[in-house]
Amino acid sequence: MRLVQVMVPTGKREAVLGVLDDEDVDYAVSDETSGRDYAAVVSFPLPTAAVEPILDELRGVGIERDAYTVVVQAETVVSERFEALEERYESEEEENGNGDRIAREELVARANDMAPTVRPYVLMTAVSAVVATAGLLLDSPAVVVGSMVIAPLIGPAMAASVGTVVDDSELAVRGIKLQALGGLLSIGAAAVFAVLLRVTNVVPLTAEEVFAIGEVRERLAPDVLSLVIALGAGAAGAVSLASGVSSALVGVMIAAALVPPTAVVGIGIAWGEPQTVIGSAVLVLVNILAINLVALVVLWRMGYRPKLWFREDEARSATIKRIAALAAVLLVLTGLLGAFTYSSYRTADFEADATAAIESELPPDATLLSLDVTYEGFPVQSPQTVVVTVGHPPSSSPPAAGPIRERVTALAPDPIGPFGRGDVRVEIRYVGVDRAGS
């Protein structure tokens, strides 16, 4: 519930009180003595669902042109008339399918508050990217989660969506700019921090070893299921914003979709392997677009429109165009995620089949110690180099390499895509191993 205070200009007192009487709203009137052309201050409690329609009616009698209105949250209202008013508006909102949503003015105010100023936004975004990079290189999920907590990414996404549906171009542009700045800043901060770790030898790893770290590896080839996080985050962010509840946990969810993959992109740049993190870069773009797309749809479906009725068609057109553009680009990028998903299953099947084939060719006293595969190609990777390490007793001859090489070569999938490669190279290495395995 909300407590609304309206400064009533001279000559508007009867019109304002008439609207409140017609709506059976309890109110208190105080004379205004500041000498600023205000006749009175009217205070009245409203259910959350009634704030927007009542303010629209007051706007219809000209209250907005010459006065200002304050809406604050109220904890408790004890009044039979208020209870009846609450029941009436709740039933109307349920019939309209809008639920218990806050007023348009509150929505815009919350979106403005959530979109931070540039300086703290830049600082917190850079810090979260650095912390995420450290967590990824340490292979520490706890540190990665900590980076999500401090990332201020929910505000810009919600500001862009709210500004679009209520036809507030300034708010929408601000949200879009902050999102672009945040994405570039996260990648840049992660790259700079990773470069420092590399040149100072704090992380003395090769690119191959870095990309083998669990927290890094799982974000190199994202699959279509990663999109679910962004879709859920966008919907949850819009609903939490429109219902007036805390968005802190939703902010962590949005950061979970954006911060770690941007840090992985920065790591790839620092280690001179930007092509290796293309999948993470695609995931970042997909998540940003998905969050904005779903938030737009949810807010529009909840009934938010511009405050001026003649701007509704313009806002509808802008919203539809933006939804269509986001959906088109998202569809293309999701196709890439689908290709990455297919590629990961393809490579996993190849390694499993190759392992089984090699073991079937080995004599009883020989053991497959490792199977290392190097992949190339985009978006679907194909094996280019296969290194097979076989252990055998020093007293016996090593197994023949020919049958092993033929079996692995025959199992290698054909290259797919314009950047695929062919001619799989199979290297077989032998290591003397006694019966104790040493």
Side-chain angles (χ1 to χ4, degrees):
M1 59 195 72
R2 302 292 188 265
L3 177 64
V4 182
Q5 292 182 323
V6 178
M7 299 294 292
V8 182
T10 303
K12 300 292 184 180
R13 177 170 179 157
E14 296 303 321
V16 169
L17 299 184
V19 169
L20 299 179
D21 287 332
D22 291 342
E23 293 290 340
D24 291 329
V25 176
D26 286 325
Y27 57 85
V29 182
S30 302
D31 291 333
E32 213 285 323
T33 58
S34 66
R36 297 183 179 181
D37 297 326
Y38 295 121
V41 178
V42 181
S43 302
F44 50 93
L46 289 177
T48 301
V51 174
E52 186 172 328
I54 295 295
L55 291 183
D56 284 341
E57 290 192 45
L58 293 177
R59 189 176 296 113
V61 298
I63 199 68
E64 188 180 67
R65 291 193 299 269
D66 306 306
Y68 64 85
T69 303
V70 178
V71 181
V72 296
Q73 186 169 355
E75 294 297 331
T76 304
V77 177
V78 181
S79 167
E80 292 184 0
R81 293 184 66 186
F82 180 84
E83 293 176 359
L85 186 68
E86 188 174 33
E87 291 178 1
R88 175 159 65 89
Y89 274 96
E90 283 182 354
S91 62
E92 290 179 2
E93 288 295 313
E94 290 177 359
E95 290 177 2
N96 296 331
N98 293 332
D100 188 18
R101 66 179 181 86
I102 62 176
R104 176 182 52 247
E105 289 78 7
E106 285 189 77
L107 181 77
V108 174
R110 290 197 70 197
N112 270 305
D113 290 341
M114 291 174 66
T117 56
V118 174
R119 182 175 296 180
Y121 179 70
V122 167
L123 177 62
M124 295 301 292
T125 300
V127 170
S128 68
V130 168
V131 173
T133 304
L136 292 169
L137 294 175
L138 290 171
D139 200 18
S140 172
V143 177
V144 175
V145 171
S147 70
M148 303 172 191
V149 174
I150 62 176
L153 301 179
I154 182 174
M158 295 301 104
S161 299
V162 170
T164 300
V165 297
V166 302
D167 194 33
D168 188 336
S169 58
E170 182 178 351
L171 180 60
V173 170
R174 180 184 173 198
I176 293 171
K177 287 182 176 179
L178 285 176
Q179 287 183 88
L181 174 63
L184 295 175
L185 182 63
S186 295
I187 294 174
V192 170
F193 179 63
V195 167
L196 290 175
L197 296 179
R198 184 185 180 190
V199 299
T200 57
N201 214 32
V202 174
V203 181
L205 301 176
T206 64
E208 184 177 345
E209 291 171 331
V210 166
F211 295 136
I213 297 174
E215 284 290 312
V216 177
R217 185 180 64 250
E218 71 181 35
R219 293 175 173 88
L220 292 177
D223 55 28
V224 177
L225 291 178
S226 303
L227 180 60
V228 175
I229 300 175
L231 294 174
V239 172
S240 65
L241 180 66
S243 59
V245 301
S246 174
S247 300
L249 294 179
V250 180
V252 176
M253 187 177 180
I254 289 178
L258 299 178
V259 174
T262 55
V264 170
V265 175
I267 291 172
I269 294 173
W271 260 267
E273 298 285 345
Q275 72 279 0
T276 306
V277 294
I278 290 177
S280 297
V282 171
L283 179 61
V284 172
L285 290 175
V286 166
N287 286 347
I288 291 175
L289 294 175
I291 290 169
N292 283 267
L293 174 63
V294 174
L296 272 175
V297 172
V298 170
L299 290 173
W300 188 264
R301 291 294 299 169
M302 292 184 75
Y304 287 106
R305 301 293 186 270
K307 62 182 178 181
L308 301 177
W309 64 267
F310 56 85
R311 299 295 297 272
E312 184 172 328
D313 289 341
E314 185 176 341
R316 179 184 292 107
S317 176
T319 301
I320 292 174
K321 288 179 180 178
R322 188 161 296 176
I323 288 175
L326 290 173
V329 179
L330 185 61
L331 184 61
V332 174
L333 294 178
T334 302
L336 287 177
L337 285 185
F340 291 138
T341 303
Y342 172 68
S343 180
S344 64
Y345 288 132
R346 192 170 180 249
T347 57
D349 288 342
F350 166 69
E351 292 182 18
D353 293 342
T355 299
I358 294 169
E359 290 177 343
S360 67
E361 292 291 337
L362 296 178
D365 60 350
T367 305
L368 175 62
L369 298 180
S370 66
L371 177 70
D372 299 313
V373 186
T374 301
Y375 296 95
E376 291 184 14
F378 179 84
V380 179
Q381 294 185 320
S382 299
Q384 297 303 299
T385 303
V386 180
V387 179
V388 180
T389 304
V390 177
H392 67 95
S395 58
S396 64
S397 300
I404 296 176
R405 184 175 289 109
E406 291 176 0
R407 292 290 299 274
V408 173
T409 303
L411 289 170
D414 296 330
I416 296 178
F419 303 104
R421 300 290 188 271
D423 302 328
V424 178
R425 179 184 177 188
V426 180
E427 297 180 7
I428 301 176
R429 301 173 182 177
Y430 298 100
V431 178
V433 179
D434 60 23
R435 292 184 180 277
S438 60

